[in-house]
Every structure is written in structure tokens, then in C-alpha cells.
Amino acid sequence: MEKKKLNHLAIILDGNGRWAQARNLPRFKGHYEGGKRVKEIAIAASLKGIKRMSVYAFSTENWKRPTSEIDYIFKLPRLFLDMYLSDLMKYQIKIECIGDISQVSSNAKKAINDCIEKTKNNTGMVLCFALNYGSYQEIINATRNIASLVKEDKLNIEDITKETFEEYLMDSTPVDLLIRTSGEQRISNFLLWQIAYSEIYFTNVMWPDFNEEELDKAIANYYQRDRRFGGIKNEK
Ligand code: FPP
């Protein structure tokens, strides 16, 4: 991979609730607008040649929210599919999902699987939704799987490498640029392994206000960074 290529963009979609509250709107309105931005930014990113865009739509910690809000967030996959399928096909965007969706309602599961199925032959950018996703869980599951192989004498401990480990992650594509909106400056258990060498961009803009101009700012900032991957030479 060329050091400066922006292959994988990951976004922590934050600020939907505050965006709505600032307008005296119910929080779900913020999630609705946020869903629209996911589609718009995905199209913009795909046209800029980005190959994969991962969005943190629901974390393993988000179950602490009120049930009504959780129920609304899980209505979004169906809404997303109904409203945006024609655009996903037009721009050849392929939907993928990481996280444990076994715990979500059967309607949401069906919508997610329909979306994955209907876009599976698309050849453009992958839009990956992290749904009921958390890195601790992902890394623990990988470790358990590897430990079982060792226990069954199918793998030697000394053969556990970065590559072996990555085979057991839900997705191992290294993140080039991670964006978090809304002014919060933390990672919140998102793609911890995959962001090992990623550039991180924080913006005060709330996710429902994040538009193509904001994406361009983040990308321009990324291209100014000197990615050394632990080395010392400035290779551009
Ligand atoms: C964070 O804002 C946002 C979420 C927890 C949900 C994000 C989900 C979407 C935008 C929709 C994704 C689309 C599909 C198809 C599932 P927040 O509620 O934490 O905002 P706050 O920090 O201002 O309260």
C-alpha cells in the first residue's frame, strides 16, 4: 500500500442527540438526520476513491440507552434500505456489517441481511456498519478461537502472528483515517486493533451537520500528515 493512500475511512458518528436537543427536537430526529448523512458521506467518499468506509452505528455499550431510543436506531436499517437502495446500486456501494447482530430484533436483522444480500455483487466502496460492535469483544473472540486451536494441537503458540490474529477479527483492514465528530476526543472501543497506525481527526461538528465540505477538510488534513509507521523517513 502506498503510504499516503486513503483506503479505509472510519467514522465515529457522534452528536446526533445534542444536534436534536439544540433544536428542541426529540433525539431520534438526530439519528434520522445522522442516517441521511451516512448515505451522503458514503457516496462522496466512494467518488473520492475510498475503498472502505466503516461507521460506528451502535456499540456494545449503547444498550445502556433508553429502550425507545434503541428501538428507533434499529428501525434505521430498514429505513436506510428502503430509502437508499437505489443510490447504493447506482454508486455500486456494497453493505457489510461487523458486530454481533444475533441480539438485535428479527426485523432489524432481516433488514440488515437484506441490505447485505441486495448489494453483495456491487463492485464499489464497501460501507461497513458496526452494529452491536465493540473491540474488546472482537479481540476476546479472536483470542478464544486461537486458544482453542492451540488446545486442539492445531496451532503452535510460536505460530501466532499478527496475520494469524487478523484472520479471527471481524475485519482486519487497517484504518487510514479515523474521524470523530461532536468535539469528543476518544476512541470508545472502536476498531482498536485496526487503528494502530491510523491518523485521527477530531471535529466539533455534530454528525448531522457533517457534509462533504467537512469531509474534504478532514481528507486535506490527512494528506498533510507525515505517516511514518514507526520509521523516520518522510515518504510521500
Ligand atoms: C451517536 O450520537 C450516534 C449513535 C449512537 C447512533 C448512530 C446511528 C446512526 C447515525 C444511524 C446509522 C444507520 C443505520 C442504518 C443503522 P449520540 O446519540 O451519542 O449523540 P450525543 O452524544 O449528542 O447524545
Side-chain angles (χ1 to χ4, degrees):
M1 187 184 86
E2 268 179 74
K3 295 216 160 173
K4 271 295 195 183
K5 204 158 168 5
L6 207 179
N7 180 50
H8 187 183
L9 168 68
I11 310 180
I12 301 177
L13 316 164
D14 198 6
N16 291 349
R18 277 163 288 162
W19 179 93
Q21 278 158 354
R23 286 160 183 77
N24 281 321
L25 296 168
R27 289 177 59 85
F28 82 85
K29 277 279 186 195
H31 296 314
Y32 177 76
E33 283 304 314
K36 288 208 258 181
R37 290 302 94 69
V38 170
K39 184 213 60 162
E40 290 162 12
I41 296 299
I43 292 172
S46 75
L47 293 174
K48 290 174 203 301
I50 290 169
K51 300 282 178 261
R52 185 175 191 91
M53 175 171 142
S54 299
V55 295
Y56 208 7
F58 195 85
S59 76
T60 44
E61 287 71 37
N62 285 149
W63 294 105
K64 295 173 193 153
R65 293 185 178 220
T67 319
S68 57
E69 185 170 337
I70 295 174
D71 288 348
Y72 185 78
I73 292 175
F74 283 110
K75 284 204 172 82
L76 288 170
R78 168 58 58 199
L79 217 58
F80 195 87
L81 179 65
D82 290 347
M83 287 166 68
Y84 305 138
L85 183 65
S86 59
D87 275 338
L88 298 178
M89 302 315 282
K90 178 174 168 193
Y91 294 97
Q92 286 292 294
I93 294 171
K94 179 176 172 175
I95 300 295
E96 288 184 5
C97 188
I98 52 171
D100 177 11
I101 60 163
S102 67
Q103 282 177 48
V104 309
S105 69
S106 52
N107 283 345
K109 220 179 303 177
K110 180 164 183 341
I112 295 159
N113 288 330
D114 280 356
C115 220
I116 293 171
E117 177 62 26
K118 287 187 169 146
T119 62
K120 71 175 184 205
N121 295 321
N122 284 356
T123 54
M125 189 186 80
V126 170
L127 171 58
C128 176
F129 284 98
L131 277 168
N132 194 22
Y133 171 86
S135 283
Y136 290 151
Q137 205 51 52
E138 181 181 36
I139 291 170
I140 289 166
N141 287 345
T143 308
R144 283 183 181 158
N145 284 320
I146 293 167
S148 303
L149 292 180
V150 172
K151 195 173 162 193
E152 291 160 19
D153 276 337
K154 291 180 180 156
L155 184 67
N156 294 321
I157 287 182
E158 53 278 15
D159 291 333
I160 302 173
T161 60
K162 173 174 176 284
E163 287 70 29
T164 341
F165 204 88
E166 288 183 342
E167 278 175 42
Y168 293 92
L169 296 177
M170 294 174 193
D171 168 48
S172 62
T173 320
V175 173
D176 297 301
L177 173 63
L178 172 70
I179 298 174
R180 182 171 190 148
T181 55
S182 92
E184 306 294 350
Q185 302 198 352
R186 32 172 200 276
I187 306 301
S188 303
N189 202 16
F190 189 40
L191 300 176
L192 294 182
W193 178 285
Q194 299 83 344
I195 62 163
Y197 276 100
S198 106
E199 299 296 326
I200 304 184
Y201 179 86
F202 296 112
T203 170
N204 289 333
V205 174
M206 300 289 155
W207 175 250
D209 286 330
F210 194 90
N211 54 21
E212 188 170 354
E213 197 183 319
E214 295 299 333
L215 177 65
D216 285 340
K217 276 194 224 167
I219 293 175
N221 183 284
Y222 169 80
Y223 282 116
Q224 281 166 13
R225 310 272 182 104
D226 179 17
R227 300 192 81 190
R228 291 192 296 277
F229 295 91
I232 51 169
K233 235 170 82 200
N234 178 1
E235 291 180 55
K236 289 209 168 162

